[in-house]
């Protein structure tokens, strides 16, 4: 009986706390959790260890970085090659990376973790979870993905340039500076999308429900 009473009291407190959260926030959290679960399932079943991500995105980032570098001022002699990386399964390397070379010297590896996919998923998930018209969501998703991809390519170009000419700053640029910049850009894109979304009707509805 004591245990049942304790559980009942805690459940009542939890329900009361949940009802105090505005409806738009609850809906956003619920959608975000659903999108997160769906993405994890899709990634775990179809994309993890799949060459598809490399062929579509990672290779594109490597080749585009080289294209920019070879046409940037006096820089030239950069090439991108596909190389194996990681553990060996059935006699083959499981992971492919885009290896960037400058005049025959290896400069940078671009792996799947560096292709900007996680930022794209984060951005698209945010757009999906926010209330807005489908056409507006689609427009911002397409434009945002192009911007994130372009900025990620510039990030790789910047890292290669730092590696070549300011090598003592490379680790800081790789692990902190450029990572902070691309996340800040993604947050800015989210802010631009959300700035015209009015939650007042949703909030008013939730306040009325809370009062009653």
């Amino acid at each position: 009986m004591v245990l049942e009473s304790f559980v009942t009291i805690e459940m009542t407190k939890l329900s009361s706390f949940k009802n105090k959260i505005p409806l738009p926030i609850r809906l956003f959290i619920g959608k975000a959790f659903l999108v997160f679960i769906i993405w994890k399932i899709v990634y775990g079943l179809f994309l993890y260890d799949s060459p598809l991500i490399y062929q579509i995105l990672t290779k594109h980032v490597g080749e585009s970085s080289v294209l920019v570098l070879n046409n940037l001022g006096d820089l030239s002699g950069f090439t991108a090659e596909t190389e194996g990386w990681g553990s060996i399964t059935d006699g083959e390397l499981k992971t492919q990376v885009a290896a960037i070379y400058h005049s025959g010297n290896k400069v940078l590896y671009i792996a799947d973790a560096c292709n900007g996919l996680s930022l794209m998923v984060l951005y698209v998930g945010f757009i999906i979870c926010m209330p807005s018209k489908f056409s507006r969501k689609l427009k911002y998703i397409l434009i945002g993905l192009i911007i994130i991809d372009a900025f990620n390519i510039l990030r790789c170009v910047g890292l290669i340039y730092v590696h070549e000419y300011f090598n003592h700053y490379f680790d800081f640029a790789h692990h902190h500076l450029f990572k902070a910049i691309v996340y800040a850009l993604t947050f800015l894109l989210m802010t631009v999308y959300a700035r015209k979304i009015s939650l007042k009707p949703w909030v008013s509805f939730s306040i009325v429900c809370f009062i009653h």
Side-chain angles (χ1 to χ4, degrees), residues 131-176:
S132 189
K133 294 180 180 179
F134 175 78
S135 58
R136 186 169 185 268
K137 289 187 177 186
L138 183 61
K139 180 179 73 174
Y140 272 84
I141 285 175
L142 292 176
I143 294 174
L145 289 180
I146 292 172
I147 293 174
I148 291 173
D149 180 53
F151 212 84
N152 189 55
I153 291 169
L154 292 178
R155 178 183 75 92
C156 293
V157 169
L159 284 173
I160 295 168
Y161 189 84
V162 170
H163 183 278
E164 287 293 273
Y165 300 102
F166 305 95
N167 189 261
H168 49 292
Y169 293 117
F170 179 78
D171 285 339
F172 173 76
H174 183 207
H175 297 291
H176 303 289

Side-chain angles (χ1 to χ4, degrees), residues 33-199:
F33 181 74
L34 181 62
V35 169
F36 175 78
I37 294 299
I38 292 174
W39 165 246
K40 284 297 183 181
I41 292 174
V42 170
Y43 184 82
L45 292 179
F46 304 106
L47 299 178
Y48 182 73
D49 284 343
S50 170
L52 188 63
I53 293 179
Y54 173 81
Q55 293 295 336
I56 293 178
L57 196 55
T58 309
K59 187 178 180 181
H60 151 73
V61 172
E63 292 177 346
S64 299
S65 300
V66 165
L67 180 64
V68 173
L69 283 163
N70 286 332
N71 291 278
L72 185 66
D74 296 330
L75 297 178
S76 62
F78 288 92
T79 57
E81 299 181 13
T82 300
E83 293 187 2
W85 180 267
S87 57
I88 298 177
T89 302
D90 298 328
E92 295 183 358
L93 285 164
K94 293 175 66 175
T95 307
Q96 290 179 314
V97 297
I100 308 300
Y101 286 83
H102 186 205
S103 300
N105 298 313
K106 192 179 299 180
V107 178
L108 186 73
Y109 277 130
I110 300 177
D112 288 345
C114 308
N115 60 21
L117 179 62
S118 59
L119 287 172
M120 293 178 182
V121 172
L122 177 66
Y123 174 75
V124 172
F126 177 83
I127 299 296
I128 292 174
C129 293
M130 290 294 287
S132 189
K133 294 180 180 179
F134 175 78
S135 58
R136 186 169 185 268
K137 289 187 177 186
L138 183 61
K139 180 179 73 174
Y140 272 84
I141 285 175
L142 292 176
I143 294 174
L145 289 180
I146 292 172
I147 293 174
I148 291 173
D149 180 53
F151 212 84
N152 189 55
I153 291 169
L154 292 178
R155 178 183 75 92
C156 293
V157 169
L159 284 173
I160 295 168
Y161 189 84
V162 170
H163 183 278
E164 287 293 273
Y165 300 102
F166 305 95
N167 189 261
H168 49 292
Y169 293 117
F170 179 78
D171 285 339
F172 173 76
H174 183 207
H175 297 291
H176 303 289
L177 179 61
F178 286 115
K179 185 174 291 187
I181 291 174
V182 294
Y183 272 98
L185 172 75
T186 305
F187 178 75
L188 178 62
L189 290 173
M190 293 176 177
T191 304
V192 170
Y193 172 76
R195 77 186 192 282
K196 292 185 178 180
I197 296 177
S198 175
L199 298 178

